[in-house]
Amino acid sequence: MKKIIWLTGIILTAVCLLFGINLAFQHAEDTDTSAKSSGSRTLTIYNWGDYIDPTLLKEFQKETGYKVDYETFDSNEAMYTKIKQGGTHYDLAVPSDYMIQKMKAANLLVPLDHSKLTGLANYDKQFMNQSFDPKNKYSIPYFWGTLGIVYNDKYVKPGEITTWHDLWQPKYKKNIMLIDSSRDIMGMALASSGQSVNTKSIPELAAAKGKLATLMPNVKAIVADEIKTYMAQDEAAIAVDYSGDASEMIAENKHLHYIVPSGGGNLWFDNIVMPKTVTNKRAAYAFLNFMSEPKHAAQNAEYVGYATPNKQAVNLLPKSVKNNKAWYPPKSTLSQLEVYQDLGPTWVGNYNDYFLEFKMTNR
């Protein structure tokens, strides 16, 4: 404080001190109120990249007054690590099926209060109460899909490929692209021999790797997201990839088609959960209810290209989409498929090791 005449200084000091204390408390109160107000109006979502129609986020903000902070990740493992490390304030996240099991085991999820969820009745019962989250205690389904085969009708005739085993035909030499994913490609090999995609058998995994080795003459490349561009540009006759990626390829190339091979394979789910890092439950429930509305779920499905588990939303989709068995397979097909289970680090490591050995033979 600036010094002044001694007599008035004492008086002014006392007055200012009291006034200053009052201002300090008022400032602290205002700051705290402002922070709480700002925090209570912000919803932080952690999702895969380009996995929601951005216009829906704008509509949600306009309709509810909440501000949305939207962050993205590129793998379940990256999402898991960041949430487990803490220091983040994600209100909602979108893990895949097996990862929900892992997050539950690590105590990273908050149980959902179903009394605050207004749209649960809109979801197809066959996609609820899955093994990775009985009674949907921690999650509601966001999108679902399959692992399958994309083929180009310039090089492959319709009906020529119906099972995984058909990929081993010599006529497809150097003409197949595989998605770079150990669980999926090992799973494909296991399913092609009638084995479970969740096996915990070393002999079965070794046999699957051996069978993959015999497929190598037909493999042109093992790639990640660029597989979509390559197939759209006629770089290969066949690809093993996810149904959602296939829809993007087909939108770019009318000669491409997608099938779910008979005899087994993977049915996957991405799901919305409330992680332990949640700070705004009210906004989180508002968003869950917003996205559960059929018109919003249908709009999101058209934008993303994956299948919606919202039964009422399916009815709003174009007939060319909802009647397409590639995107919405019948129950007879789905009943043959398995959802990936969390196998634990040891068995995940085994899958990765066998897949790496297979990939090294491609050099």
Side-chain angles (χ1 to χ4, degrees):
M1 181 179 290
K2 185 179 180 180
K3 290 185 179 180
I4 53 176
I5 301 175
W6 179 81
L7 182 60
T8 59
I10 295 175
I11 299 172
L12 287 175
T13 298
V15 172
C16 290
L17 181 59
L18 290 173
F19 184 66
I21 291 173
N22 184 59
L23 282 177
F25 275 113
Q26 183 64 42
H27 176 70
E29 184 178 353
D30 289 346
T31 301
D32 183 59
T33 302
S34 176
K36 288 181 179 178
S37 176
S38 175
S40 67
R41 303 312 301 171
T42 299
L43 173 70
T44 305
I45 302 173
Y46 200 27
N47 197 359
W48 300 82
D50 198 26
Y51 208 32
I52 191 170
D53 185 341
T55 62
L56 284 172
L57 295 179
K58 293 179 182 178
E59 186 175 342
F60 172 76
Q61 292 180 128
K62 182 178 180 181
E63 183 177 303
T64 64
Y66 291 115
K67 176 182 178 295
V68 175
D69 283 343
Y70 189 84
E71 295 186 31
T72 64
F73 56 85
D74 58 9
S75 74
N76 279 292
E77 287 65 33
M79 177 275 304
Y80 174 86
T81 299
K82 194 164 185 181
I83 288 178
K84 187 176 182 180
Q85 287 176 341
T88 58
H89 299 287
Y90 299 123
D91 298 305
L92 295 170
V94 188
S96 300
D97 33 54
Y98 73 93
M99 185 53 68
I100 288 180
Q101 288 181 296
K102 187 173 181 178
M103 295 179 79
K104 284 194 299 183
N107 196 33
L108 297 180
L109 299 179
V110 174
L112 297 177
D113 183 348
H114 284 204
S115 69
K116 296 180 180 179
L117 296 172
T118 60
L120 287 180
N122 295 329
Y123 291 91
D124 193 323
K125 290 183 180 179
Q126 68 174 321
F127 302 131
M128 302 291 281
N129 194 32
Q130 292 293 317
S131 59
F132 56 84
D133 185 21
K135 298 182 180 179
N136 292 90
K137 183 177 180 180
Y138 296 95
S139 70
I140 61 174
Y142 183 61
F143 280 120
W144 66 275
T146 56
L147 181 73
I149 297 172
V150 181
Y151 71 89
N152 191 316
D153 63 24
K154 290 182 180 180
Y155 317 109
V156 179
K157 295 178 181 179
E160 197 169 279
I161 297 177
T162 59
T163 69
W164 292 114
H165 192 69
D166 290 332
L167 298 179
W168 273 259
Q169 297 180 63
K171 61 183 175 181
Y172 300 132
K173 184 176 181 179
K174 291 295 179 184
N175 235 330
I176 298 177
M177 289 192 173
L178 303 178
I179 191 69
D180 191 1
S181 167
S182 61
R183 196 72 188 271
D184 292 313
I185 301 307
M186 288 297 295
M188 175 196 75
L190 289 163
S192 72
S193 297
Q195 308 295 341
S196 170
V197 299
N198 294 307
T199 187
K200 287 187 175 181
S201 165
I202 290 296
E204 289 180 1
L205 286 175
K209 194 269 290 186
K211 186 170 183 178
L212 281 177
T214 66
L215 179 65
M216 191 55 79
N218 288 0
V219 177
K220 183 172 184 177
I222 302 172
V223 291
D225 281 348
E226 59 269 32
I227 194 172
K228 293 181 286 188
T229 301
Y230 289 144
M231 289 303 294
Q233 296 177 349
D234 289 348
E235 292 292 331
I238 299 167
V240 174
D241 202 354
Y242 317 114
S243 53
D245 287 351
S247 69
E248 293 184 45
M249 301 178 200
I250 293 171
E252 297 294 325
N253 188 331
K254 65 180 181 180
H255 292 286
L256 298 179
H257 309 269
Y258 179 78
I259 65 163
V260 181
S262 61
N266 173 236
L267 170 67
W268 58 260
F269 293 89
D270 286 336
N271 320 268
I272 309 183
V273 300
M274 198 177 293
K276 283 284 189 178
T277 57
V278 61
T279 59
N280 195 342
K281 289 185 178 181
R282 181 176 294 181
Y285 281 113
F287 186 78
L288 291 174
N289 292 331
F290 176 86
M291 293 303 296
S292 294
E293 292 182 25
K295 64 177 181 179
H296 297 150
Q299 180 180 332
N300 203 32
E302 286 198 73
Y303 175 86
V304 175
Y306 284 81
T308 176
N310 190 313
K311 189 174 183 178
Q312 301 305 318
V314 173
N315 295 329
L316 301 178
L317 295 174
K319 290 183 179 181
S320 60
V321 176
K322 66 182 180 182
N323 294 333
N324 191 323
K325 293 182 179 180
W327 315 132
Y328 292 91
K331 289 185 178 180
S332 58
T333 298
L334 295 179
S335 64
Q336 301 178 42
L337 307 180
E338 296 179 89
V339 177
Y340 289 142
Q341 301 298 316
D342 176 28
L343 302 178
T346 298
W347 282 101
V348 169
N350 289 332
Y351 276 73
N352 291 341
D353 290 343
Y354 280 117
F355 182 60
L356 180 59
E357 289 178 25
F358 161 65
K359 286 172 64 175
M360 291 178 67
T361 64
N362 191 35
R363 294 183 177 180

